[in-house]
Amino acid sequence: MRNSRATAIILGTALLASLSGCASDGLVGEIEIVGLGPSALRFDRELSVAAYAVREAEDSFFFSDVPLEDLLRHGPDTPLRNGVFVHVQLIWTPKPGMTPVDPTATNAVTRVLIVSEGEVGLYGGAAFARVDGESGEEELSLEVEGGTLTLLERTAGFNDLLSPAGFAGELRAPLAADETARWRRALSQFATNAFGKSMWVDARDGSGVSDALVRR
C-alpha cells in the first residue's frame, strides 16, 4: 500500500488527521480503499490505535488514526475535524487447511467512518478476513481482503467520489474489552449527532437501524 495524492480529491479536502498523542502506540496497520468507478480513485490510511473484544457469536475490532479521547471530547467547543474510524465484526474464523473459501466468501462486516474538515461519511460492507491467532488472545492480526464498501450516510458537505469501493487492510489489535465498549458507544453517539438521527456503527446491535444499512 502506498500514500496517494488522490486522498485530497476523494474527500474534497485534504484528510489531515493528526497523530499527535499516538506516537507511543506505534502503527497498528493500514487500510486501502479503491473506488470501483471509472476514476478508480484510491485512499490509503495508516492507523495508530486499536482494540478488540470477544462478543457473543463474533469478535469486534475498532481501529483509528486518532485517540479515543479526541472522539470523546468532540463537541461544539472542541470539534473533531479529521479522522478515520474502522469497525470490523468477525463473524466466523477460517481454519487453515480446513475451511474451503469461495472467492466471494465473506466472514466480516465492515464499517468505515471518515471525518474530513468536519464533514462525515459512513461506509459499510463486507469482506473476508484472515486471522493470525486465536480468539481471546492478547493480540490478534487481521488481513482483510476482497471487501466492498458503499456510502451509507453522509453530511451535506461530504463529497463522496469513492463509492462503490474495494476495501483491504492489514491490522492488529490488543484484547481490551472495556476500551472496545467505549469505542462502540462513542462512535455510535458521534454518528447519531453527525447525521441527525439514531445511528449505530455496529451492524448487529438489534435496533433495526443497522440491519437496514446492511441490506441497503
Side-chain angles (χ1 to χ4, degrees):
M1 300 183 188
R2 65 181 185 275
N3 291 329
S4 171
R5 293 177 58 190
T7 299
I9 301 173
I10 290 170
L11 300 179
T13 57
L15 190 60
L16 297 175
S18 171
L19 296 181
S20 61
C22 301
S24 61
D25 294 333
L27 295 179
V28 299
E30 58 184 331
I31 60 169
E32 175 187 89
I33 304 174
V34 179
L36 300 178
S39 299
L41 297 176
R42 176 173 176 157
F43 171 60
D44 299 340
R45 196 67 176 171
E46 293 182 330
L47 306 177
S48 55
V49 289
Y52 95 93
V54 178
R55 299 178 61 191
E56 184 177 355
E58 68 181 51
D59 290 349
S60 185
F61 297 79
F62 286 93
F63 307 93
S64 183
D65 60 349
V66 298
L68 175 59
E69 289 70 21
D70 286 10
L71 184 63
L72 293 171
R73 284 195 297 265
H74 169 74
D77 297 328
T78 55
L80 180 66
R81 299 298 300 170
N82 298 287
V84 176
F85 305 91
V86 179
H87 183 207
V88 177
Q89 290 173 264
L90 186 65
I91 309 303
W92 57 269
T93 303
K95 301 296 183 183
M98 298 176 61
T99 303
V101 178
D102 183 90
T104 61
T106 59
N107 66 341
V109 177
T110 55
R111 291 285 181 270
V112 179
L113 191 145
I114 297 176
V115 185
S116 177
E117 295 302 318
E119 300 294 341
V120 184
L122 175 63
Y123 296 84
F128 185 77
R130 302 181 188 276
V131 184
D132 184 5
E134 297 289 335
S135 178
E137 289 186 1
E138 291 187 3
E139 182 176 274
L140 285 185
S141 295
L142 300 178
E143 182 180 353
V144 184
E145 57 187 26
T148 57
L149 291 174
T150 301
L151 184 70
L152 304 178
E153 294 289 347
R154 68 180 180 91
T155 57
F158 186 87
N159 186 22
D160 171 41
L161 300 179
L162 275 174
S163 188
F167 176 78
E170 295 182 4
L171 303 157
R172 57 184 174 84
L175 180 63
D178 291 344
E179 186 172 356
T180 301
R182 294 175 69 205
W183 274 110
R184 183 172 180 263
R185 290 192 297 267
L187 271 177
S188 298
Q189 187 61 59
F190 180 87
T192 296
N193 294 344
F195 302 127
K197 59 183 178 180
S198 180
M199 296 288 295
W200 203 261
V201 175
D202 189 333
R204 297 165 62 90
D205 71 300
S207 69
V209 174
S210 301
D211 291 339
L213 295 181
V214 173
R215 292 194 296 268
R216 187 177 294 180

